[in-house]
Amino acid sequence: MSLAAYALVDCNNFYCSCERVFRPDLIGKPIVVLSNNDGCIISRSNEAKKLGVQMAAPYFKQKRFLERNKVAVFSSNYPLYGDLSERVMNTLRAFCSDMEIYSIDEAFLRLDGFSTYNLTAYGQHIRNTVYKWTGIPVSIGIAPTKTLAKIASHICKKNPNSSGVYNMNDQWGNSSQINAMLEKVPVNEIWGIGRKSSAKLFNYGITTARQLRDRDNAWLQKMLTVTGLYTALELRGIPSIALDDAPPARRSIRSSRSFGQPVTEKRDAQEAAVAYMVRAAEKLRREGLLATTLSVFIKTSEHRPGDQHAEYCTHTLEKPTDYTPLLVHHASEMLCKIFRNGHQYQKVGVLLSGLESKHNQQGSLLELTSPATQQQIEAEARLMCVTDAINKKFGRGTVQYAGEGLGQPWKMKQKNLSPRYTTKWGELREIF
DNA sequence: TCTGGGGTCCTAGGACCC
DNA sequence: TCTGGGGTCCTAGGACCC
């Protein structure tokens, strides 16, 4: 049987690369992109990495250092990144339709049908085309399983001589070469092995991918559950994590943000809960879903040990809905239940779950809808449809719920936001 | 002063049923 | 008084991912 072949295509420093597409003057210069609320550093160009800027470092601690080293700083601009991501994925699809979009900046391709090709050369061709068509540089790892393809792409990024593609299948027959390669991969860098599992494994003297691969199955399952066992099987070259080419239906929708400054007033927290519920409900309708279970949570900052309160409240509806006024009503009530005076809150959020498709709803045989009720349901649907259309056309917040508040003192910070070059004409001219 | 947001999967344990 | 055994479903919590 011929060897399976998975490719992982991974965009290099994706958010930084997106910013550079429209600011070519920054090519070769250090840049970083911040998380929401300008909280942490979540993307670094190679030049910034070389300066020693750490991933997930709090911005306020690095600010002076970044200024001194003339590092360009951007707030995250998700409309821009989402749009460029779509262009990259569309380009990849032209090369291989058997594809799983794994995240905003990564995709797996299944290349089994390409066994007559030189896969390394094919990878090069894909890489060059993506760069030419979108301006985004990518690294490509090719291997017999998804987990190994992840490792291959890491190796490729770390090695400047790799020319952007690393094909593990080429050396698969040479077990001493493969062993030597897996020996150099720290166990905590394996896909699926996080901080807790690494610490556990470390206690048993397991520090490399090779050592993990060579433990017996029963032990692996006991220590790391079946997911850990699958990871080890994949390291042996046995495909155990399937390609998800048609992602399963979504199970939950979440909307939450940190506040721009600590919130102590119930009214402010309530406005935020309402505003996030409005956004979650928009997403619900956009995807043709209805929700049955609503949750609201609130928490103080983990970095203030003297002031801790976190609480979570859930409400289950009798009938699934996508009607914002109803969802907002419950969000507001739940927030009141869990809010306590005297705390400095850092974040609230809402979660919608128990999702089902609007179009194949389970109707109850016993339920008879009167014409008046039917009319009301239709009126509500029209109202949602119209507000969504207005907000889409004229921008979010054109039609707003009173409960979202006007001043919104809790709103997040975004001081270094770049223009939405690809999705707003009005902001495109800012380049020139 | 200031530390992201949005997802998924697995397991254990309780509730419930026959 | 003594109160089985096995199955399913749901939920909370933990761990992981980008």
Side-chain angles (χ1 to χ4, degrees), chain A residues 41-226:
Chain A
I41 292 163
I42 53 168
S43 183
R44 305 159 295 158
S45 71
N46 288 343
E47 298 76 14
K49 288 178 191 172
K50 227 171 261 168
L51 284 171
V53 179
Q54 290 300 304
M55 183 65 172
Y59 174 51
F60 75 92
K61 286 189 181 169
Q62 299 288 316
K63 202 169 170 191
R64 296 288 306 280
F65 178 84
L66 298 176
E67 281 165 7
R68 271 203 306 278
N69 289 281
K70 300 201 166 52
V71 180
V73 177
F74 293 88
S75 300
S76 37
N77 184 345
Y78 289 103
L80 176 67
Y81 311 151
D83 189 60
L84 287 175
S85 169
E86 210 180 306
R87 297 180 192 198
V88 170
M89 300 305 168
N90 287 340
T91 308
L92 294 177
R93 212 185 310 274
F95 288 98
C96 176
S97 59
D98 211 358
M99 161 170 148
E100 171 188 346
I101 297 175
Y102 178 67
S103 73
I104 195 167
D105 67 339
E106 285 172 72
F108 287 103
L109 307 178
R110 186 155 178 157
L111 299 175
D112 292 13
F114 296 76
S115 53
T116 55
Y117 286 51
N118 174 338
L119 287 183
T120 312
Y122 195 53
Q124 286 293 353
H125 180 45
I126 293 175
R127 184 171 184 272
N128 294 337
T129 309
V130 171
Y131 189 69
K132 200 172 350 166
W133 290 6
T134 68
I136 301 290
V138 300
S139 298
I140 302 183
I142 299 170
T145 65
K146 288 167 80 176
T147 303
L148 288 168
K150 277 280 224 182
I151 290 175
S153 89
H154 276 274
I155 290 175
C156 167
K157 277 191 184 177
K158 278 190 198 159
N159 180 1
N161 306 320
S162 68
S163 68
V165 178
Y166 178 63
N167 181 0
M168 211 181 271
N169 281 19
D170 270 354
Q171 36 174 284
W172 193 252
N174 184 337
S175 58
S176 61
Q177 230 175 34
I178 294 292
N179 287 344
M181 184 263 304
L182 289 179
E183 228 151 65
K184 284 194 220 126
V185 178
V187 81
N188 59 300
E189 286 181 15
I190 302 168
W191 185 45
I193 306 294
R195 211 159 27 96
K196 299 276 173 138
S197 300
S198 306
K200 216 189 247 182
L201 291 168
F202 199 82
N203 286 335
Y204 288 88
I206 297 177
T207 57
T208 69
R210 182 183 176 182
Q211 288 173 311
L212 184 71
R213 179 197 67 181
D214 294 341
R215 292 304 289 229
D216 72 83
N217 291 357
W219 188 88
L220 287 161
Q221 176 151 8
K222 194 169 141 235
M223 291 307 288
L224 305 172
T225 80
V226 285

Side-chain angles (χ1 to χ4, degrees), chain A residues 1-21:
Chain A
M1 208 179 77
S2 69
L3 202 56
Y6 291 87
L8 177 70
V9 183
D10 194 344
C11 301
N12 298 344
N13 318 325
F14 181 55
Y15 297 167
C16 288
S17 299
C18 289
E19 297 292 349
R20 272 182 179 159
V21 169

Side-chain angles (χ1 to χ4, degrees), chain A residues 376-397:
Chain A
Q376 193 191 343
I377 292 172
E378 282 165 17
E380 287 176 1
R382 270 200 304 277
L383 178 61
M384 291 301 96
C385 199
V386 168
T387 50
D388 286 343
I390 293 173
N391 283 334
K392 185 167 181 216
K393 184 158 183 192
F394 299 104
R396 173 174 290 141

Side-chain angles (χ1 to χ4, degrees), chain A residues 202-431:
Chain A
F202 199 82
N203 286 335
Y204 288 88
I206 297 177
T207 57
T208 69
R210 182 183 176 182
Q211 288 173 311
L212 184 71
R213 179 197 67 181
D214 294 341
R215 292 304 289 229
D216 72 83
N217 291 357
W219 188 88
L220 287 161
Q221 176 151 8
K222 194 169 141 235
M223 291 307 288
L224 305 172
T225 80
V226 285
T227 51
L229 173 58
Y230 292 153
T231 298
L233 290 173
E234 289 241 316
L235 291 174
R236 296 172 203 163
I238 303 164
S240 308
I241 303 174
L243 192 81
D244 268 330
D245 48 0
R250 176 199 290 285
R251 312 182 63 122
S252 62
I253 291 175
R254 176 191 292 248
S255 175
S256 73
R257 302 259 181 294
S258 296
F259 299 126
Q261 54 200 38
V263 160
T264 53
E265 299 297 321
K266 179 150 84 179
R267 193 194 158 80
D268 291 338
Q270 217 172 349
E271 282 179 8
V274 167
Y276 301 155
M277 187 56 96
V278 168
R279 297 194 54 178
E282 279 169 9
K283 194 163 184 182
L284 197 62
R285 289 191 295 274
R286 209 180 318 134
E287 303 194 8
L289 297 167
L290 302 170
T292 319
T293 304
L294 337 174
S295 312
V296 171
F297 61 89
I298 191 163
K299 63 192 285 285
T300 51
S301 167
E302 283 162 29
H303 304 280
R304 294 169 44 90
D307 173 22
Q308 287 292 298
H309 176 232
E311 209 165 324
Y312 184 85
C313 179
T314 294
H315 179 80
T316 303
L317 299 169
E318 278 177 24
K319 270 177 57 186
T321 187
D322 64 356
Y323 187 52
T324 300
L326 179 64
L327 294 167
V328 156
H329 165 76
H330 287 293
S332 185
E333 283 204 335
M334 283 191 277
L335 189 279
C336 286
K337 273 193 205 158
I338 57 180
F339 185 92
R340 305 252 183 286
N341 279 315
H343 291 290
Q344 299 211 355
Y345 288 105
Q346 179 218 10
K347 178 190 275 192
V348 309
V350 305
L351 184 70
L352 299 175
S353 51
L355 305 183
E356 53 185 74
S357 163
K358 187 170 187 166
H359 305 294
N360 46 26
Q361 240 189 112
Q362 189 107 66
S364 164
L365 285 174
L366 299 172
E367 188 182 298
L368 292 171
T369 321
S370 71
T373 318
Q374 190 56 38
Q375 258 183 10
Q376 193 191 343
I377 292 172
E378 282 165 17
E380 287 176 1
R382 270 200 304 277
L383 178 61
M384 291 301 96
C385 199
V386 168
T387 50
D388 286 343
I390 293 173
N391 283 334
K392 185 167 181 216
K393 184 158 183 192
F394 299 104
R396 173 174 290 141
T398 306
V399 180
Q400 203 193 311
Y401 288 82
E404 294 178 72
L406 289 173
Q408 302 193 328
W410 41 271
K411 244 193 161 165
M412 67 179 182
K413 294 181 284 195
Q414 279 185 311
K415 288 194 178 149
N416 305 288
L417 190 59
S418 52
R420 290 166 289 181
Y421 300 110
T422 60
T423 53
K424 293 282 168 200
W425 283 111
E427 296 181 13
L428 185 57
R429 64 187 143 78
E430 294 178 35
I431 321 180

